[in-house]
Amino acid sequence: MRKIPVLESERLRIRPFLKIDLEPVHQLKVDVGWVNPHISKTQQFILQEHWLNWTILNTEQLAKLDQPPYGDRAVVLKENGKLIGSVGLVPCLDVYGQLPYFGRQQNCLATPEVGLLWIIDPAQQNKGYATEAAQSLIDFAFGSMRLHRLIATTEDDNLASQAVMGKLGMAIERNPFPDPPWLQVVGILENNQL
């Protein structure tokens, strides 16, 4: 079975999400603005509960099927077990050929890549946790999984995320074309371990 073990860094533990994470996950998503402001707090909480249940089942089922371990993982502080964020590997399908790194073709076809994501509680930002958590997952993905490449995407105005990309050693590419609007800044990291 393919399964990411609990990863540990100097200050963090990166582990699968658990049902007990519902309250902190909900609060994290509220704090970063990843909730629908047009629905009630009760409905938002129910949606987070559905997401958490899906995330837990996704981790278990992909491992049983010997599939890549896509999905979010909890980022917790080693010192007290407090959940402060999420990091994960996700399937990404888009027109990456538009980026100079991949050839800069305006009318290219979509290609799959493995994406790296991170989100840290705003109260815990600017302490290096995003970089530390993402680096732990990169080390596992490039070492144990032997992945060829990872990408990360963000918006033009998310300078903090772009700074994390830089600290991770990612080449930062800007889409020279206006579309798609969600594919404007992409960090690319190649596995140089071979």
Side-chain angles (χ1 to χ4, degrees):
M1 285 195 274
R2 291 184 186 194
K3 193 172 186 179
I4 299 175
V6 173
L7 303 174
E8 294 199 11
S9 63
E10 180 182 343
R11 303 174 294 167
L12 304 173
R13 185 170 288 115
I14 295 97
R15 62 161 173 79
F17 276 100
L18 306 169
K19 289 199 180 272
I20 61 170
D21 295 326
L22 181 56
E23 289 281 346
V25 163
H26 175 69
Q27 191 59 53
L28 173 67
K29 295 204 177 171
V30 168
D31 291 347
V32 298
W34 285 12
V35 292
N36 183 342
H38 305 294
I39 62 175
S40 73
K41 289 182 179 182
T42 301
Q43 289 172 311
Q44 291 173 8
F45 192 82
I46 290 168
L47 288 176
Q48 293 310 320
E49 185 175 32
H50 288 297
W51 176 86
L52 182 62
N53 289 335
W54 171 82
T55 299
I56 292 168
L57 288 172
N58 177 65
T59 300
E60 294 169 0
Q61 293 304 310
L62 287 176
K64 287 179 183 177
L65 295 169
D66 198 30
Q67 294 298 306
Y70 288 127
D72 294 55
R73 299 183 56 81
V75 176
V76 298
L77 294 173
K78 282 170 102 172
E79 67 182 354
N80 59 16
K82 179 182 178 183
L83 188 141
I84 63 162
S86 178
V87 65
L89 300 174
V90 293
C92 296
L93 181 68
D94 221 318
V95 288
Y96 299 108
Q98 289 185 179
L99 301 171
Y101 191 92
F102 296 107
R104 198 174 190 256
Q105 304 165 17
Q106 186 167 11
N107 293 317
C108 63
L109 298 173
T111 56
E113 293 287 340
V114 177
L116 174 67
L117 68 89
W118 56 83
I119 177 176
I120 298 294
D121 177 357
Q124 299 293 333
Q125 291 177 0
N126 299 311
K127 297 177 182 178
Y129 291 138
T131 304
E132 189 174 331
Q135 188 62 60
S136 294
L137 199 52
I138 289 167
D139 292 345
F140 179 81
F142 284 174
S144 297
M145 292 178 67
R146 297 176 46 89
L147 288 181
H148 171 70
R149 174 176 47 237
L150 290 168
I151 64 158
T153 62
T154 194
E155 300 81 20
D156 282 317
D157 62 350
N158 190 340
L159 301 179
S161 189
Q162 292 173 44
V164 171
M165 290 176 185
K167 290 174 188 172
L168 294 170
M170 292 183 143
I172 299 174
E173 291 281 317
R174 296 194 180 278
N175 189 347
F177 306 106
D179 289 314
W182 59 84
L183 188 68
Q184 294 306 303
V185 179
V186 179
I188 304 161
L189 187 64
E190 299 274 347
N191 186 346
N192 295 319
Q193 294 185 9
L194 294 180

